[in-house]
Amino acid sequence: MILISLRYNKNVMRLRLEIPDAHAHAQIIRIGGKTMTERKEPEVEGLRKSADRLKDRVVIITGSTSGIGKASAILFAWEGAKVVVVGRRAEKGQAVVGTIKANGGEAIFVQTDITDDDQCKNLVETTLKTYGRIDVLFNNAGCLITGPFTELTKKDWDDFISLDAYSMFRMMQLVLPVMEKQGGGVILNDTSLAALDSKIPGGAIYGFVKAGVNHMSQLVAAEYVAKNIRVNNIQPGLIATEMTLTGAGADGFDYMASMMPMGRPGTALEVAYGALFLCCDESSYITGCSLLIDGGVRGN
């Protein structure tokens, strides 16, 4: 996920992935040909016929109370997975579980601050106690940070790395032994187009960390490839989610969307389908790779 600022100012903008609804205001925007009269995250709709691509797989998805994580949780369950929805907001997490169950799927919610070691351990232990195995870990939780380079602080550095790098590192450490013992598994890390793109104003820390996670994933993939564990990344561009529509930089969203080669932002479900591919057996010969889902931005 990327945040593009149209101007510099002296305020460092920070936005965690899971935020309360705020700054919403009436404005018509178009996403995938649909008109929305208010700024809110689009509902997850338009699921294709299920092919049971994750039938009976146990999947942990962090940051899955909104955005890409939410869409992935609903889609993965639609494709037969037993999904562990993870986030800090209990009401939203339970709502995602409710949607999954209404669709005939199976899911639980585990309230977790993914930057807390003990809560991460509890997440893994609860998953194993409930389902007995972990087939897929989708490290999706993250936040945004951007600002003039010389005004970023040590706290900015520490907070961002804690969520967007260390949490993925720690969750992989906790889950890899489980996957190795059971004979295999899949890990997917959500990074960003910013890992490759140097044209994002104020994105020094953001791009640096995202690129670092990409490389970490490749190294872990190489270490575990012989143990039947695949590790990949997805790199979304501008996607219409709660984070981009209602948070810092949201006033520039429509303009940036109009500048996209496809003339629109991506949807969370479009990213979720890319994630599904990398988490199911259709990608069984793919590991150590990064999949760009940016509507052609990099190519232009």
Side-chain angles (χ1 to χ4, degrees), residues 121-143:
K121 290 177 183 176
N122 176 68
L123 168 60
V124 172
E125 290 170 359
T126 300
T127 302
L128 291 174
K129 182 178 179 180
T130 304
Y131 293 122
R133 60 187 295 114
I134 300 171
D135 297 293
V136 177
L137 168 64
F138 183 9
N139 278 319
N140 171 73
C143 66

Side-chain angles (χ1 to χ4, degrees), residues 74-94:
I74 293 170
L75 174 61
F76 285 21
W78 181 252
E79 288 287 344
K82 299 172 182 177
V83 176
V84 180
V85 178
V86 182
R88 293 177 292 127
R89 296 179 294 178
E91 184 176 351
K92 285 187 174 289
Q94 293 294 355

Side-chain angles (χ1 to χ4, degrees), residues 2 4 18 27 32 67 79 103 108 125 129 149 151 160 171 202 209 214 225 235 251 262 265 273 291 296 299:
I2 62 174
I4 301 176
E18 297 183 286
Q27 182 171 354
E79 288 287 344
N103 288 341
I108 61 170
E125 290 170 359
K129 182 178 179 180
F149 182 72
E151 295 179 16
F160 188 70
M171 283 300 296
V209 170
N214 277 359
V225 64
Q235 296 180 247
D251 287 344
M262 289 188 178
Y273 268 107
L291 175 62

Side-chain angles (χ1 to χ4, degrees), residues 98-161:
T99 298
I100 288 171
K101 290 184 176 180
N103 288 341
E106 184 172 350
I108 61 170
F109 172 67
V110 182
Q111 188 172 24
T112 306
D113 178 349
I114 207 69
T115 66
D116 185 288
D117 272 15
D118 289 338
Q119 292 189 42
C120 288
K121 290 177 183 176
N122 176 68
L123 168 60
V124 172
E125 290 170 359
T126 300
T127 302
L128 291 174
K129 182 178 179 180
T130 304
Y131 293 122
R133 60 187 295 114
I134 300 171
D135 297 293
V136 177
L137 168 64
F138 183 9
N139 278 319
N140 171 73
C143 66
L144 296 171
I145 182 171
T146 184
F149 182 72
T150 57
E151 295 179 16
L152 296 168
T153 67
K154 177 68 159 54
K155 187 176 187 305
D156 296 327
W157 176 275
D158 290 343
D159 288 350
F160 188 70
I161 285 183

